[in-house]
Amino acid sequence: MKTSTFKTHLEAHPDAGLVFLLPDGSAIPAHAHITEVGRVEKRFLDCGGTLRSWVTTNLQTWVDEDVDHRFSPAKLARILDLAAPLFDREDPEVEIEHERGVLSQYPVEDVKTEGGRLVFQLAAKHADCLAKDVCIPAAAEVESCCGGTGCC
């Protein structure tokens, strides 16, 4: 979900409860703090030799013992306004960073309202080859990815 769309949902439901559902159906605790809004840029060379880059809006959560603390959609929208200079005119996808054993980033996949709550569904991230056309040979070609396909 783009940052602008995410913010529009927050502004449309300023007093709703805020819920982030992890891909397994469990929720990030409601008393989690949003400790950072960050612009994360990744520049890399894929295995096919193409230079690539992408930018995300990263919202880092942190769970502490303060169980009475709650973030409202209105407050999170104001924080996104304060972070706007980080993004110039870009409108990157939003990811929620949460630690549950390991620190992971979850793209925001969908949103719905239910029972006075604004519920954002998070998705799992997966690795992928971005140069399949170059890197993964047809079955009849070679046995190894590095066997003359231009990969590696």
Side-chain angles (χ1 to χ4, degrees):
M1 176 179 297
K2 296 286 188 182
T3 303
S4 61
T5 303
F6 182 81
K7 188 169 173 268
T8 297
H9 287 292
L10 296 172
E11 292 170 337
H13 305 281
D15 300 317
L18 194 53
V19 178
F20 294 103
L21 286 180
L22 295 163
D24 68 2
S26 65
I28 293 175
H31 63 279
H33 299 245
I34 303 293
T35 59
E36 293 179 8
V37 176
R39 178 185 194 279
V40 176
E41 183 172 357
K42 181 176 180 180
R43 294 180 185 191
F44 58 99
L45 178 73
D46 71 22
C47 62
T50 301
L51 291 172
R52 298 180 187 262
S53 68
W54 68 64
V55 174
T56 58
T57 298
N58 189 72
L59 304 178
Q60 183 186 73
T61 64
W62 179 61
V63 179
D64 193 28
E65 296 175 15
D66 173 11
V67 296
D68 296 322
H69 183 88
R70 298 288 187 272
F71 250 89
S72 70
K75 184 173 184 177
L76 185 50
R78 283 192 306 273
I79 292 170
L80 287 171
D81 282 338
L82 293 172
L86 294 172
F87 300 99
D88 195 22
R89 290 179 175 74
E90 296 171 300
D91 189 18
E93 297 288 324
V94 175
E95 291 188 350
I96 306 298
E97 185 175 84
H98 181 65
E99 184 175 358
R100 197 172 63 165
V102 296
L103 190 61
S104 300
Q105 292 83 31
Y106 301 95
V108 178
E109 182 176 64
D110 198 13
V111 62
K112 62 183 175 184
T113 55
E114 64 178 36
R117 302 179 314 159
L118 187 58
V119 181
F120 289 98
Q121 180 63 56
L122 308 181
K125 287 177 73 169
H126 300 282
D128 193 9
C129 177
L130 299 177
K132 290 182 182 92
D133 58 326
V134 174
C135 191
I136 301 176
E141 287 182 24
V142 290
E143 295 178 17
S144 166
C145 178
C146 296
T149 66
C151 176
C152 306

